[in-house]
Each structure stands twice: as C-alpha cells, then as structure tokens.
C-alpha cells in the first residue's frame, strides 16, 4: 500500500522542485498535499493524516519546529524530516530534541533526499513490523512474557517514559510493581589489551561466564533486600546493568552485592569490572536518569582503573580535575570521529573556560590535555584529507607548547590553533561542496550541449538559487556560464568540422546553435577562424 507525504515550505519553487524531481512512485509515496505555513500544515494534517511530513524551519507564523512539536504531542511516531536552508546548530539541536528523523540542509541533492526518504520508510516499516509482532506476542502471553520483560527493561534504559505511559496494569502484566525507589548500576567489563586480540568466540565465552556470576550472585545475596526486585539487563558487549526497584533504598546492601560480583568475576575470569551507581529515583519512568548517571560515573572509572565502584553523587560534587577533562576529551573524540565540528567547538569552549578558571593541577596537566586535543584533530585531518598538509604539524605543535610557561599563554595559544583549524576545515568542506556543484553543471553541459539550455533550470534541478550558482560558477571556473557553454560547444564543433562529415549548418544545429550566422560569429570570435576554414 502506497504511503503519503505532506510537503511544507513557503517557497513555491522548492515545493515544485520536490514535486517534479523526486521519483515518488519508486519510493512507494504519493504527495497528500502541500502547505505554505505552519497553521496551514496542521490543518491539512488533520484532514489528510499523511504518513510522513517534510517541512522547512522558517515558515510564516509557526516555524517548522513548532509544527513538529505540535504534531509530536499527538503522533509521537510520525516520521518528520526537516529540509532547511540554514545551518544553525540550535535548530538542529531543537529538531533532535523533538524527535525529527532527519535534518537536511538546502541545497540537498535529489539522491540524498530520496536516500533519506527510503531510510525513514524503512525505519517506519521496521517499527510497524515490530508493533505488529508485539501485538502477536501479547496474544501468546505465556510464551513471550520473558521476551517482553527483557524488552521492557531495555526500553526503561533507552526511553524517557511519562508516568501515565507506565500504568500499574501494564507493569503488573509483565511482572513489575510501581516501586517508590529505583536505582541503576552499570557494570563495565574492562577488556584488557591482550583480550582485544583474542578470537571473538573466546571473549564471548568469558562474557557469558561473567553473566552467570552476576545472575548467581543476585540469587544468593539479593534475598537480603526485603521487598526489593533486582533485575539484570544484558545491555551491550561489555556492559550489564543491575536495576534495583523497591520500597527502600538499599544502597549499602547494593554496594556489597556489586562488590561481591566484581570480586567473583576477577577471581574466576581475571576480568576487572568498573561499577557506576546512579542516584535513587522515585518512579520506574526515571530509571533512564539513574542509568545515565551510572554510565557517567563508570566513564570516569575508565580513566582511573577498574575494580572500583563509583558513585554519581561523589563525582557530581567533586571539584573539577583531570578526570572531568577526560570525560570532555572522550566527547571531543566522538565529535571528531563523526565530523561534528560544531559540537567539537562547543566542547572546546567548555574546556577553554574551565582551564581559564584555573581548574587544573598545573601547566603539565594542561599540556597533556592540549596534546590529546591536537592528536585527535591530526588523526581526523589525515583521515578526511590525506593529500592535504594540515594547518599545523605535530612537530611544530610540540615545539610550540614547550615555549608556553604560563597557563593563560598556553590555553590562549591553543584557542587560536583550534579556531584556525576549524576555519580551515570549514573552508575545505565548503570548497568540496562548491566544486561538486560546478562539476554537476559541467556534466549537464556535456550531456545536453546540443539542446537549448536554461541556466535557471539547471539551478532549480540542483536546488540552489540561480544567482548564487552563477557567482559560484564564475569564482570556481574564472568565467561566466555563457562563456563556458559557448566554449564547450565550439570545441565540439571543431571536432565535428574536422571529421569532414558535416556541413557548417549541420554542425551549428548539432552543437546547440539554432542560428548558423550566430554560430559563425561565436566560432570566429573564439578560434580566430570561420567554420568554413576548418576541415
């Protein structure tokens, strides 16, 4: 069954381009309708109930983000795609906060838009299949209850539920009560270097052994916590999560239980375990918050060694130290791995202000931090631009930091290095995109030079403004489009005339000149000879 999509944009050219150039039938989509404002979009949605929505951010009246927020209240799973002409971090962050599936920047290529639509449709199909499967499973409650429990526990760690979404009847159906106290503990198996080289099968055997020890320890010692439910979630390859749900907060007993697990795992499997304990919460819908706190606590443990228990409360109130910087460095590495340079700049500003405030043990510690920052930047540059010389070499960098004897001199200089680096990177990314646009224009000329060519039509097919494309073309090629087009046509005309198979008027028509006289004038102007002198 074909699904429907609603397009929301106040620019009729964009709507027309999307309507005409996207191969909707091949995607299994049809356009339910279009709207030019936020209010109109909501009214149209209530009438048509499309399966997908694609909207611009800046609209008359309500913005696209406000439309998204309004739709999300009643249709939490509705796929929404933002197609915006403004690359603003706040817009993107707001879009993600309201559950937007994709945030595309204009001008977006047809292939890119179609690829995103296919991905969204696939995600929707998977979700619908999942929902149908869940409904089927519920009909076979006796057989699928363990699966539902496992799925529910996973969702508690990854989904931010509202209180009304976890009614008592639903909880009891899968074996849970609404307890007054909930707390999460993350258990991270520290896989040492020699284990990273072992066969995956060997590691999985050790991991299953750790899972058994955790389960057995809970069975043996969990009974000491009266009126308390302990659940274990196999979260990832190296992380297990222990959930405590009860009427009281058995923090001391929980620490003893976790400590015994860690000791047993190390004794029998020689695997160190780091544990992070989140704060106690007061409803199962807040499990995700305690879990995220436990992960933050255990992340700090990654930089201090395993076989220790870390509390979120302690880390939250502690003064800033190298450990705190290590967390930011971890986020910095992730930002550069995904080439989210805006996020990288934001993380650097946090580090910069913290270092400025003197939250560092000394100049040596600050040097370690900036070397780590630069090493990540250098690695990213070599990966993204292997043929280009980086703005600053590692040897020059190391030589320079040795000359900085004061903390404020070091961080001020590093700020300049990072800003220059980001500016160069943005320039390279911008040039790459610009060159791609010009290459597409040239390809169009190669394929259609014998036809009547409209520069505005080319610009529209690329979803850019003709004036912008014209200025870009001249900046990149050094000539305007008409000159380039005539030059290309005359070059092809020279080849045809030299073959000796065609008359001048035939070559004129074959190369896109509908007037033979004008063809002769352009030909002589560019070659210094008349067409009849060639061949």
């Amino acid at each position: 069954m074909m699904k429907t999509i609603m397009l929301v944009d106040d620019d009729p050219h964009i709507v027309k381009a999307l309507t005409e150039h996207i191969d909707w039938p091949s995607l299994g989509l049809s356009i339910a309708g279009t709207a030019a404002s936020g209010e109109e979009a909501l009214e149209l949605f209530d009438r048509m109930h499309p399966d997908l929505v694609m909207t611009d951010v800046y609209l008359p009246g309500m913005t696209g983000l406000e439309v998204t927020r309004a739709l999300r209240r009643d249709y939490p799973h509705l796929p929404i795609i933002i197609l915006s002409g403004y690359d603003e971090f706040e817009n993107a962050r707001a879009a993600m906060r309201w559950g937007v599936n994709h945030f595309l920047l204009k001008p977006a290529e047809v292939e890119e838009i179609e690829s995103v639509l296919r991905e969204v449709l696939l995600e929707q199909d998977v979700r619908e299949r999942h929902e149908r499967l869940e409904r089927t499973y519920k009909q076979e409650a006796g057989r699928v209850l363990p699966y539902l429990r496992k799925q529910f526990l996973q969702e508690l760690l990854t989904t931010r539920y509202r209180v009304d979404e976890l009614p008592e009847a639903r909880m009891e159906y899968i074996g849970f009560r609404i307890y007054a106290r909930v707390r999460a503990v993350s258990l991270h198996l520290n896989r040492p270097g020699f284990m990273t080289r072992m066969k995956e099968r060997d590691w999985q055997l050790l991991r299953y052994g750790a899972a058994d020890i955790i389960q057995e320890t809970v069975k043996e010692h969990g009974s000491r916590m009266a009126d308390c439910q302990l659940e274990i979630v196999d979260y990832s390859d190296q992380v297990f999560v222990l959930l405590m749900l009860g009427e009281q907060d058995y923090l001391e007993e929980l620490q003893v239980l976790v400590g015994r697990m860690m000791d047993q795992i190390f004794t029998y499997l020689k695997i160190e375990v780091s544990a992070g304990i989140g704060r106690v919460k007061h409803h199962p819908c807040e499990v995700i918050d305690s879990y995220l706190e436990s992960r933050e606590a255990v992340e700090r443990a990654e930089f201090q060694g395993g076989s220790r228990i870390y509390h979120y409360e302690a880390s939250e109130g502690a003064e800033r130290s190298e450990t705190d910087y290590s967390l930011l460095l971890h986020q910095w590495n992730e930002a550069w791995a995904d080439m989210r340079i805006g996020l990288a700049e934001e993380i650097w500003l946090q580090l910069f202000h913290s270092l400025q405030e003197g939250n560092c043990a000394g100049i040596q510690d600050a040097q370690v931090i900036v070397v780590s920052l630069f090493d990540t930047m250098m690695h990213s540059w070599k990966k993204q631009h292997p043929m280009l010389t980086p703005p600053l070499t590692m040897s020059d960098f190391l030589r320079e930091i040795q000359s900085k004897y004061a903390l404020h001199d070091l961080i001020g200089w590093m700020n300049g290095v990072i800003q220059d680096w980001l500016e160069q990177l943005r320039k390279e990314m911008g040039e790459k995109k610009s060159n791609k646009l010009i290459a597409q224009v040239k390809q169009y000329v190669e394929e259609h030079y014998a036809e009547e060519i409209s520069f505005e039509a080319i610009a529209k097919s690329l979803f850019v403004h003709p004036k912008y494309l014209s200025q870009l073309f001249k900046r990149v090629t050094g000539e305007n489009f008409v000159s380039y087009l005539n030059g290309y046509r005359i070059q092809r005309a020279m080849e045809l005339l030299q073959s000796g198979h065609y008359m001048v008027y035939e070559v004129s028509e074959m190369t896109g000149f509908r007037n033979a006289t004008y063809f002769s004038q352009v030909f002589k102007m560019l070659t210094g000879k008349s067409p009849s002198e060639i061949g």
Side-chain angles (χ1 to χ4, degrees), residues 469-532:
L469 187 60
S470 175
Q471 293 173 343
L472 179 62
F473 191 93
K474 188 169 185 179
R475 177 169 64 82
V476 174
T477 66
E479 60 182 333
N480 60 41
F481 177 74
V482 174
S483 298
Y484 175 82
L485 177 60
N486 284 336
Y488 186 87
R489 283 173 165 169
I490 295 302
Q491 179 184 350
R492 298 308 300 267
M494 287 274 290
E495 297 170 1
L496 293 169
L497 288 169
Q498 289 172 348
S499 71
H501 299 308
Y502 305 99
M503 302 295 290
V504 171
Y505 76 91
E506 291 177 311
V507 173
S508 172
E509 292 182 353
M510 293 169 69
T511 54
F513 292 93
R514 299 295 177 255
N515 185 306
T517 302
Y518 177 67
F519 166 66
S520 297
Q521 293 172 346
V522 175
F523 193 98
K524 189 166 186 178
M525 179 181 66
L526 293 180
T527 66
K529 298 180 180 181
S530 64
S532 59

XYZ file of all heavy atoms in Angstrom, residues 469-532:
522
model
N 24.424 30.259 -7.838
C 25.137 29.315 -8.688
C 25.983 30.047 -9.728
O 27.103 29.628 -10.041
C 24.148 28.376 -9.378
C 24.764 27.229 -10.181
C 25.622 26.333 -9.282
C 23.687 26.399 -10.860
N 25.466 31.154 -10.248
C 26.207 31.929 -11.243
C 27.493 32.502 -10.644
O 28.563 32.422 -11.236
C 25.329 33.055 -11.786
O 26.058 33.880 -12.673
N 27.366 33.075 -9.439
C 28.542 33.643 -8.770
C 29.555 32.551 -8.424
O 30.761 32.731 -8.584
C 28.101 34.381 -7.510
C 27.259 35.623 -7.791
C 26.690 36.226 -6.522
O 26.652 35.577 -5.467
N 26.229 37.465 -6.611
N 29.034 31.400 -7.973
C 29.905 30.285 -7.617
C 30.627 29.762 -8.855
O 31.824 29.468 -8.815
C 29.080 29.173 -6.968
C 29.833 27.914 -6.543
C 30.876 28.251 -5.478
C 28.863 26.858 -6.027
N 29.910 29.642 -9.967
C 30.495 29.128 -11.203
C 31.644 30.021 -11.663
O 32.720 29.543 -12.027
C 29.417 29.033 -12.293
C 29.861 28.277 -13.509
C 29.616 26.924 -13.635
C 30.547 28.915 -14.545
C 30.036 26.215 -14.756
C 30.969 28.235 -15.656
C 30.715 26.874 -15.768
N 31.433 31.334 -11.606
C 32.473 32.259 -12.056
C 33.677 32.234 -11.131
O 34.826 32.305 -11.575
C 31.901 33.669 -12.154
C 32.866 34.654 -12.806
C 32.190 35.969 -13.127
C 33.137 36.902 -13.879
N 32.487 38.187 -14.225
N 33.407 32.091 -9.816
C 34.515 32.070 -8.857
C 35.364 30.821 -9.034
O 36.597 30.868 -8.954
C 33.965 32.128 -7.428
C 35.039 32.048 -6.362
C 34.479 32.382 -4.996
N 33.483 31.434 -4.561
C 33.765 30.259 -3.990
N 35.031 29.903 -3.814
N 32.812 29.455 -3.591
N 34.732 29.680 -9.279
C 35.456 28.418 -9.392
C 36.136 28.263 -10.749
O 37.289 27.821 -10.841
C 34.513 27.229 -9.122
C 35.228 25.901 -9.385
C 34.009 27.266 -7.678
N 35.427 28.638 -11.852
C 35.954 28.399 -13.198
C 36.684 29.599 -13.788
O 37.460 29.455 -14.739
C 34.822 28.000 -14.154
O 33.919 29.121 -14.324
C 34.045 26.801 -13.605
N 36.423 30.801 -13.260
C 37.057 32.000 -13.799
C 36.313 32.602 -14.978
O 36.788 33.577 -15.580
N 35.176 32.054 -15.359
C 34.375 32.606 -16.453
C 32.906 32.402 -16.149
O 32.537 31.558 -15.322
C 34.741 31.929 -17.777
C 34.520 30.410 -17.783
C 34.931 29.778 -19.095
O 34.902 30.476 -20.124
O 35.301 28.584 -19.090
N 32.067 33.201 -16.840
C 30.643 33.024 -16.591
C 30.117 31.817 -17.363
O 30.800 31.248 -18.213
C 29.857 34.288 -16.954
C 29.998 34.668 -18.419
O 29.984 33.804 -19.295
N 30.115 35.980 -18.696
N 28.876 31.442 -17.067
C 28.327 30.214 -17.635
C 28.183 30.281 -19.149
O 28.477 29.303 -19.851
C 26.969 29.906 -16.992
C 26.300 28.701 -17.577
C 26.745 27.423 -17.286
C 25.226 28.838 -18.452
C 26.134 26.305 -17.829
C 24.612 27.730 -19.008
C 25.061 26.455 -18.690
N 27.727 31.414 -19.668
C 27.522 31.538 -21.108
C 28.839 31.353 -21.857
O 28.908 30.658 -22.879
C 26.879 32.894 -21.454
C 26.803 33.080 -22.973
C 25.484 32.984 -20.842
N 29.905 31.967 -21.345
C 31.219 31.817 -21.979
C 31.667 30.360 -21.972
O 32.203 29.843 -22.958
C 32.261 32.687 -21.274
O 31.920 34.055 -21.376
N 31.451 29.704 -20.821
C 31.843 28.298 -20.731
C 31.029 27.444 -21.704
O 31.572 26.576 -22.395
C 31.627 27.787 -19.306
C 31.905 26.304 -19.162
C 33.201 25.827 -18.999
C 30.871 25.375 -19.229
C 33.454 24.460 -18.896
C 31.110 24.016 -19.125
C 32.405 23.570 -18.959
O 32.653 22.233 -18.863
N 29.720 27.685 -21.754
C 28.855 26.913 -22.634
C 29.255 27.104 -24.096
O 29.374 26.130 -24.858
C 27.394 27.320 -22.420
C 26.362 26.655 -23.325
C 26.369 25.140 -23.150
C 24.963 27.214 -23.038
N 29.466 28.359 -24.492
C 29.876 28.618 -25.880
C 31.224 27.961 -26.183
O 31.428 27.387 -27.252
C 29.958 30.118 -26.138
C 28.572 30.744 -26.291
O 27.613 30.046 -26.634
N 28.472 32.042 -26.048
N 32.162 28.061 -25.242
C 33.469 27.458 -25.441
C 33.369 25.950 -25.613
O 34.042 25.363 -26.462
N 32.525 25.314 -24.796
C 32.365 23.867 -24.903
C 31.731 23.489 -26.239
O 32.146 22.533 -26.902
C 31.516 23.339 -23.749
C 31.427 21.840 -23.729
C 32.402 21.074 -23.081
C 30.403 21.163 -24.374
C 32.347 19.692 -23.081
C 30.332 19.775 -24.377
C 31.306 19.051 -23.718
O 31.251 17.691 -23.721
N 30.698 24.250 -26.627
C 30.020 23.959 -27.898
C 30.970 24.143 -29.094
O 30.973 23.327 -30.019
C 28.799 24.870 -28.038
C 27.616 24.424 -27.174
C 26.489 25.431 -27.208
N 25.234 24.871 -26.695
C 24.154 25.587 -26.421
N 24.164 26.913 -26.592
N 23.059 24.992 -25.992
N 31.776 25.201 -29.063
C 32.705 25.433 -30.176
C 33.766 24.337 -30.226
O 34.195 23.907 -31.302
C 33.358 26.829 -30.043
C 32.281 27.925 -30.193
C 34.454 27.019 -31.068
C 31.514 27.871 -31.506
N 34.195 23.864 -29.042
C 35.166 22.764 -29.000
C 34.598 21.522 -29.683
O 35.278 20.863 -30.473
C 35.529 22.452 -27.546
C 36.526 21.310 -27.409
C 36.788 20.974 -25.949
O 36.372 21.702 -25.048
N 37.461 19.868 -25.728
N 33.341 21.195 -29.388
C 32.712 20.053 -30.029
C 32.494 20.302 -31.522
O 32.614 19.393 -32.345
C 31.367 19.737 -29.348
C 31.486 19.352 -27.881
C 32.493 18.224 -27.672
N 32.130 17.018 -28.379
C 31.417 16.020 -27.848
N 31.006 16.120 -26.592
N 31.133 14.950 -28.554
N 32.189 21.561 -31.860
C 32.002 21.917 -33.269
C 33.297 21.714 -34.052
O 33.285 21.243 -35.198
C 31.519 23.361 -33.382
N 34.432 22.100 -33.451
C 35.731 21.905 -34.092
C 35.934 20.420 -34.421
O 36.371 20.060 -35.513
C 36.849 22.373 -33.153
C 36.952 23.875 -33.001
S 37.954 24.641 -34.299
C 39.567 24.067 -33.848
N 35.597 19.544 -33.480
C 35.772 18.109 -33.689
C 34.896 17.604 -34.840
O 35.333 16.794 -35.669
C 35.431 17.347 -32.404
C 36.352 17.679 -31.239
C 35.868 17.108 -29.923
O 34.815 16.429 -29.918
O 36.526 17.352 -28.896
N 33.654 18.092 -34.884
C 32.733 17.662 -35.936
C 33.177 18.168 -37.306
O 33.107 17.443 -38.312
C 31.319 18.145 -35.617
C 30.658 17.514 -34.382
C 29.377 18.248 -34.016
C 30.364 16.035 -34.631
N 33.621 19.442 -37.362
C 34.059 20.006 -38.639
C 35.313 19.302 -39.152
O 35.457 19.040 -40.347
C 34.327 21.508 -38.469
C 33.074 22.387 -38.291
C 33.475 23.793 -37.871
C 32.243 22.433 -39.571
N 36.221 18.998 -38.246
C 37.468 18.345 -38.647
C 37.233 16.919 -39.151
O 38.051 16.371 -39.882
C 38.454 18.336 -37.473
C 39.017 19.707 -37.161
C 39.832 19.726 -35.874
O 39.800 18.769 -35.099
N 40.536 20.820 -35.631
N 36.106 16.322 -38.764
C 35.810 14.972 -39.256
C 35.483 14.977 -40.744
O 35.605 13.955 -41.427
C 34.630 14.381 -38.481
O 33.414 15.032 -38.837
N 35.026 16.136 -41.262
C 34.712 16.269 -42.681
C 33.401 15.625 -43.107
O 33.121 15.506 -44.303
N 32.578 15.235 -42.137
C 31.328 14.548 -42.465
C 30.104 15.456 -42.447
O 29.019 15.009 -42.822
C 31.088 13.399 -41.474
C 32.157 12.352 -41.502
N 32.587 11.736 -42.659
C 32.899 11.816 -40.492
C 33.527 10.865 -42.386
N 33.751 10.891 -41.056
N 30.267 16.702 -41.994
C 29.085 17.546 -41.807
C 29.293 18.921 -42.422
O 30.418 19.435 -42.475
C 28.782 17.706 -40.305
C 28.631 16.400 -39.573
C 29.694 15.889 -38.833
C 27.448 15.679 -39.639
C 29.571 14.688 -38.163
C 27.308 14.480 -38.977
C 28.382 13.980 -38.235
O 28.253 12.808 -37.585
N 28.168 19.505 -42.841
C 28.161 20.884 -43.327
C 28.131 21.833 -42.135
O 27.765 21.437 -41.020
C 26.934 21.121 -44.222
C 26.840 20.183 -45.421
S 28.194 20.445 -46.583
C 27.729 22.056 -47.252
N 28.473 23.098 -42.378
C 28.525 24.089 -41.295
C 27.172 24.217 -40.616
O 27.070 24.252 -39.379
C 29.000 25.461 -41.827
C 28.846 26.529 -40.737
C 30.458 25.372 -42.276
N 26.091 24.302 -41.421
C 24.780 24.500 -40.798
C 24.366 23.270 -39.979
O 23.652 23.379 -38.968
C 23.722 24.822 -41.861
C 23.251 23.637 -42.672
C 22.143 22.894 -42.263
C 23.928 23.255 -43.833
C 21.713 21.803 -43.003
C 23.504 22.163 -44.568
C 22.393 21.427 -44.157
O 21.964 20.360 -44.865
N 24.859 22.063 -40.383
C 24.553 20.859 -39.613
C 25.278 20.882 -38.260
O 24.715 20.535 -37.223
C 24.967 19.613 -40.402
C 24.126 19.352 -41.634
C 24.624 18.149 -42.403
O 25.848 18.079 -42.670
O 23.798 17.280 -42.732
N 26.538 21.284 -38.301
C 27.309 21.377 -37.053
C 26.697 22.415 -36.128
O 26.657 22.245 -34.906
C 28.785 21.713 -37.365
C 29.557 21.988 -36.073
C 29.432 20.572 -38.140
N 26.215 23.506 -36.717
C 25.568 24.550 -35.918
C 24.409 23.966 -35.122
O 24.273 24.208 -33.913
C 25.072 25.678 -36.834
O 24.289 26.604 -36.100
N 23.565 23.195 -35.766
C 22.414 22.605 -35.079
C 22.849 21.514 -34.107
O 22.279 21.379 -33.013
C 21.452 22.016 -36.109
C 20.761 23.078 -36.966
C 19.775 22.467 -37.939
O 19.713 21.220 -38.044
O 19.074 23.242 -38.592
N 23.868 20.746 -34.484
C 24.309 19.636 -33.631
C 24.962 20.106 -32.342
O 25.081 19.345 -31.375
C 25.295 18.757 -34.406
C 24.652 18.011 -35.569
S 25.882 17.236 -36.639
C 26.520 15.960 -35.567
N 25.405 21.343 -32.292
C 26.077 21.864 -31.090
C 25.245 22.903 -30.360
O 25.750 23.636 -29.509
C 27.437 22.465 -31.458
O 27.262 23.437 -32.501
C 28.396 21.389 -31.907
N 23.952 22.965 -30.663
C 23.052 23.811 -29.886
C 22.873 25.219 -30.391
O 22.187 26.013 -29.752
N 23.487 25.583 -31.539
C 23.304 26.915 -32.115
C 22.167 26.834 -33.143
O 22.305 26.199 -34.185
C 24.583 27.399 -32.806
C 25.711 27.687 -31.852
C 26.651 26.719 -31.561
C 25.824 28.924 -31.247
C 27.690 26.976 -30.681
C 26.864 29.181 -30.359
C 27.801 28.207 -30.063
N 21.065 27.435 -32.852
C 19.923 27.356 -33.748
C 20.038 28.333 -34.920
O 19.301 28.281 -35.882
C 18.632 27.637 -32.975
C 18.376 26.642 -31.870
C 18.136 25.243 -32.445
N 17.949 24.257 -31.380
C 18.869 23.381 -31.042
N 20.021 23.361 -31.687
N 18.650 22.512 -30.084
N 20.997 29.247 -34.819
C 21.207 30.251 -35.870
C 22.626 30.085 -36.393
O 23.612 30.284 -35.674
C 20.997 31.667 -35.292
C 21.086 32.743 -36.344
O 22.069 32.827 -37.081
N 20.051 33.580 -36.411
N 22.764 29.720 -37.694
C 24.086 29.462 -38.272
C 24.949 30.708 -38.313
O 26.174 30.640 -38.172
C 23.922 28.875 -39.679
N 24.329 31.864 -38.515
C 25.093 33.122 -38.556
C 25.719 33.399 -37.188
O 26.904 33.752 -37.090
C 24.177 34.287 -38.962
O 23.598 33.999 -40.238
C 24.958 35.588 -39.024
N 24.904 33.252 -36.159
C 25.424 33.479 -34.795
C 26.519 32.455 -34.472
O 27.529 32.778 -33.847
C 24.284 33.375 -33.781
C 24.720 33.526 -32.349
C 25.212 34.736 -31.863
C 24.679 32.444 -31.469
C 25.627 34.866 -30.548
C 25.080 32.552 -30.154
C 25.561 33.769 -29.704
O 25.964 33.891 -28.399
N 26.326 31.232 -34.908
C 27.332 30.191 -34.717
C 28.666 30.610 -35.341
O 29.724 30.491 -34.719
C 26.839 28.881 -35.328
C 27.905 27.842 -35.481
C 28.511 27.262 -34.377
C 28.321 27.444 -36.748
C 29.503 26.299 -34.528
C 29.315 26.482 -36.901
C 29.901 25.911 -35.780
N 28.607 31.133 -36.570
C 29.833 31.542 -37.264
C 30.522 32.680 -36.536
O 31.757 32.727 -36.425
C 29.504 31.952 -38.704
O 28.977 30.851 -39.425
N 29.713 33.622 -35.999
C 30.290 34.760 -35.275
C 31.003 34.300 -34.002
O 32.132 34.721 -33.711
C 29.180 35.764 -34.934
C 28.579 36.456 -36.149
C 27.368 37.297 -35.786
O 26.814 37.170 -34.691
N 26.958 38.163 -36.716
N 30.331 33.427 -33.238
C 30.931 32.938 -31.992
C 32.173 32.103 -32.308
O 33.200 32.198 -31.635
C 29.909 32.110 -31.190
C 30.573 31.488 -29.959
C 28.734 32.975 -30.769
N 32.074 31.293 -33.347
C 33.188 30.432 -33.728
C 34.429 31.253 -34.054
O 35.534 30.967 -33.575
C 32.773 29.574 -34.942
C 33.718 28.456 -35.227
C 33.461 27.166 -34.792
C 34.900 28.688 -35.945
C 34.351 26.133 -35.051
C 35.775 27.658 -36.206
C 35.509 26.382 -35.763
N 34.248 32.304 -34.879
C 35.392 33.122 -35.272
C 35.939 33.914 -34.093
O 37.151 34.107 -33.961
C 34.980 34.059 -36.402
C 36.171 34.800 -37.016
C 35.806 35.446 -38.320
C 37.045 36.069 -38.998
N 36.733 36.666 -40.301
N 35.037 34.354 -33.226
C 35.475 35.126 -32.052
C 36.355 34.266 -31.138
O 37.348 34.741 -30.572
C 34.260 35.627 -31.285
C 34.600 36.420 -30.031
S 33.134 36.977 -29.141
C 32.454 35.415 -28.611
N 36.029 32.978 -31.017
C 36.764 32.118 -30.089
C 37.970 31.440 -30.735
O 38.937 31.098 -30.040
C 35.818 31.048 -29.516
C 34.695 31.559 -28.611
C 33.842 30.401 -28.112
C 35.240 32.349 -27.430
N 37.921 31.209 -32.049
C 39.016 30.469 -32.688
C 39.873 31.330 -33.619
O 40.986 30.929 -33.983
C 38.455 29.296 -33.504
O 37.688 29.811 -34.613
C 37.564 28.412 -32.644
N 39.323 32.499 -34.005
C 40.050 33.350 -34.945
C 39.857 32.927 -36.389
O 40.436 33.529 -37.299
N 39.071 31.898 -36.625
C 38.804 31.419 -37.979
C 37.312 31.224 -38.168
O 36.563 31.054 -37.191
C 39.527 30.079 -38.239
C 41.036 30.156 -38.154
C 41.656 28.787 -38.421
C 43.174 28.848 -38.338
N 43.798 27.511 -38.614
N 36.884 31.196 -39.424
C 35.487 30.913 -39.709
C 35.305 29.407 -39.782
O 36.265 28.663 -40.036
C 35.062 31.551 -41.036
O 35.780 30.969 -42.111
N 34.076 28.900 -39.572
C 33.838 27.460 -39.633
C 34.262 26.838 -40.957
O 34.737 25.703 -40.981
C 32.336 27.340 -39.405
C 31.969 28.568 -38.647
C 32.868 29.643 -39.178
N 34.102 27.589 -42.058
C 34.424 27.030 -43.367
C 35.923 26.806 -43.564
O 36.337 26.060 -44.445
C 33.892 27.957 -44.473
O 34.460 29.254 -44.340
